[in-house]
Amino acid sequence: DSGVTQTPKHLITATGQRVTLRCSPRSGDLSVYWYQQSLDQGLQFLIQYYNGEERAKGNILERFSAQQFPDLHSELNLSSLELGDSALYFCASSVQGRNSPLHFGNGTRLTVT
Amino acid sequence: QQPVQSPQAVILREGEDAVINCSSSKALYSVHWYRQKHGEAPVFLMILLKGGEQKGHEKISASFNEKKQQSSLYLTASQLSYSGTYFCGTEDNNNDMRFGAGTRLTVKP
């Protein structure tokens, strides 16, 4: 158990809808990362937060947004969903956001029908 | 910028050795290695910081050549439990963590 909690585990929704994925980092970790993994593909970096502030942005679509709250949990919002958004979304946390290991949650599997 | 991993896939017999390579075109602060088994989350193996260090954990070790921005993961005397997809992750001055496309390792009895 990595100590990172992601909810929900599975999400099935229709095209055009909006969903929110939630992540609680390990106790003591200040940084949260979001990654998208399509079927049998690599990990695409979406966005990183450190202690409530956005630190780095990757290949995140404009339809997607995220934030990290004062209690350090994070949410990833996906809107106007398309079939191609179907993927496994991982959240990871680390102590300081640089030069420290990432600990991954078990992911949220999103299926857009 | 995403690092480049090679090879894409490796098939080994138990007891054989393997090397997985990772390279970047950017100056790196660190290189991470993770293993992901099918249907599971990636799990941290080791981190190598700028300075050309080499790390090891039992029969899995890695090196980081800072000048060439390259890292290699060495798996010796492979075991069935080593099967999975190995990802290298790199940190540069953009404050993000980018992963390579992964190397699928299969160890057969």
Side-chain angles (χ1 to χ4, degrees):
Chain A
D1 182 11
S2 68
V4 178
T5 304
Q6 284 189 251
T7 57
K9 287 185 180 180
H10 302 278
L11 204 46
I12 301 174
T13 189
T15 54
Q17 295 298 305
R18 172 190 169 93
V19 296
T20 297
L21 312 183
R22 182 187 168 101
C23 170
S24 295
R26 282 192 333 160
S27 176
D29 284 0
L30 298 178
S31 193
V32 169
Y33 301 74
W34 287 97
Y35 291 90
Q36 180 194 55
Q37 187 174 42
S38 300
L39 191 61
D40 291 330
Q41 298 296 308
L43 297 155
Q44 296 300 314
F45 172 67
L46 296 178
I47 199 163
Q48 181 200 358
Y49 285 86
Y50 178 79
N51 204 21
E53 299 291 326
E54 181 183 304
R55 184 177 250 191
K57 214 170 206 180
N59 306 321
I60 188 166
L61 301 171
E62 285 193 13
R63 300 184 285 109
F64 296 1
S65 65
Q67 56 183 324
Q68 186 180 29
F69 294 87
D71 67 353
L72 301 178
H73 91 272
S74 179
E75 292 181 357
L76 178 66
N77 301 296
L78 316 175
S79 61
S80 302
L81 286 167
E82 302 175 358
L83 295 178
D85 297 329
S86 295
L88 194 51
Y89 290 84
F90 283 109
C91 163
S93 71
S94 71
V95 171
Q96 58 188 27
R98 182 188 280 279
N99 295 343
S100 56
L102 269 61
H103 301 275
F104 284 81
N106 288 327
T108 293
R109 182 167 295 281
L110 174 66
T111 303
V112 183
T113 62
Chain B
Q1 195 165 2
Q2 188 177 9
V4 177
Q5 271 186 251
S6 63
Q8 286 186 315
V10 182
I11 299 176
L12 301 173
R13 293 285 180 190
E14 262 186 303
E16 291 182 339
D17 302 340
V19 180
I20 301 172
N21 299 303
C22 175
S23 65
S24 175
S25 59
K26 300 192 75 175
L28 300 177
Y29 285 98
S30 68
V31 178
H32 299 221
W33 287 96
Y34 295 78
R35 177 171 61 209
Q36 184 180 29
K37 293 189 179 276
H38 187 68
E40 299 180 8
V43 174
F44 171 76
L45 293 176
M46 63 187 76
I47 180 174
L48 299 106
L49 305 179
K50 199 163 62 169
E53 65 177 306
Q54 183 155 353
K55 278 198 168 184
H57 175 68
E58 296 183 349
K59 296 175 183 174
I60 299 176
S61 62
S63 63
F64 176 26
N65 186 322
E66 181 187 340
K67 289 182 181 177
K68 293 185 177 181
Q69 309 306 326
Q70 293 175 348
S71 178
S72 295
L73 185 71
Y74 307 94
L75 300 105
T76 58
S78 58
Q79 306 168 11
L80 294 176
S81 62
Y82 287 5
S83 291
T85 300
Y86 289 78
F87 292 99
C88 72
T90 55
E91 293 182 290
D92 55 30
N93 60 358
N94 286 329
N95 287 320
D96 56 24
M97 168 74 77
R98 305 272 177 157
F99 285 93
T103 296
R104 182 170 292 185
L105 179 73
T106 304
V107 181
K108 295 187 173 181

